[in-house]
Amino acid sequence: MQLNDTKIVGPRVIALDAPSAPWVIEIQNRLNQKGFRVHRWSSRTRVTEQTSATRSKSYNEAEARYVLVVEGFAPYDWANRCFGGGFKFDHISTDLVDTSTNETVLNINGSGYSENCPPMSGTIFGDIANAVDAAWSR
């Protein structure tokens, strides 16, 4: 669900704040197919500024203004994986957050089967990528 009507204008660069789970790469791949540059972390550069003669401040400089926060659970042991390589999610939730305003721009929640889970395959990863894509102006 998009939380406002304003489309994002700017580079299609986002960072992922997601668990180290094998299904996260599926989201990343679909975002790449939509033309997004996806970073695993929102910043890598440490900046120090001298604010006065006796004081300085340090911070991480953001490379991506938007962060896709992903939380979910899908067992990935051999007994619970789909034969096609997909996953059965107990739950998955994603929030696209604007780091400059600290506001959630988009929220997607779901559960069930992902792609590659015949015969009950779903569209979880594609739905996430399509929703993020739709949040940007063309």
Side-chain angles (χ1 to χ4, degrees):
M1 161 190 347
Q2 191 156 344
L3 301 177
N4 60 40
D5 293 332
T6 307
K7 297 283 188 178
I8 298 170
V9 177
R12 295 168 69 86
V13 178
I14 62 173
L16 285 178
D17 179 0
S20 294
W23 46 265
V24 172
I25 194 70
E26 297 292 337
I27 296 170
Q28 184 174 344
N29 287 342
R30 282 166 178 75
L31 289 168
N32 286 334
Q33 290 170 358
K34 296 281 185 188
F36 285 91
R37 214 168 85 227
V38 181
H39 295 289
R40 194 58 175 108
W41 293 277
S42 62
S43 64
R44 295 180 301 170
T45 306
R46 187 84 176 150
V47 175
T48 302
E49 290 182 355
Q50 194 72 31
T51 57
S52 68
T54 59
R55 190 171 179 183
S56 64
K57 85 176 164 180
S58 294
Y59 57 91
N60 290 334
E61 185 174 54
E63 294 179 40
R65 177 174 172 179
Y66 296 92
V67 176
L68 187 65
V69 180
V70 182
E71 295 179 8
F73 178 74
Y76 46 89
D77 58 79
W78 68 271
N80 290 298
R81 283 290 297 272
C82 298
F83 289 118
F87 304 88
K88 182 177 188 277
F89 282 87
D90 290 344
H91 70 278
I92 187 165
S93 175
T94 60
D95 290 318
L96 183 64
V97 178
D98 182 340
T99 60
S100 71
T101 62
N102 201 29
E103 291 182 8
T104 300
V105 176
L106 174 72
N107 173 268
I108 307 145
N109 293 297
S111 63
Y113 294 97
S114 73
E115 293 83 345
N116 299 321
C117 273
M120 309 211 337
S121 293
T123 57
I124 289 174
F125 304 132
D127 292 346
I128 292 169
N130 288 337
V132 172
D133 183 47
W136 256 262
S137 71
R138 300 264 175 223

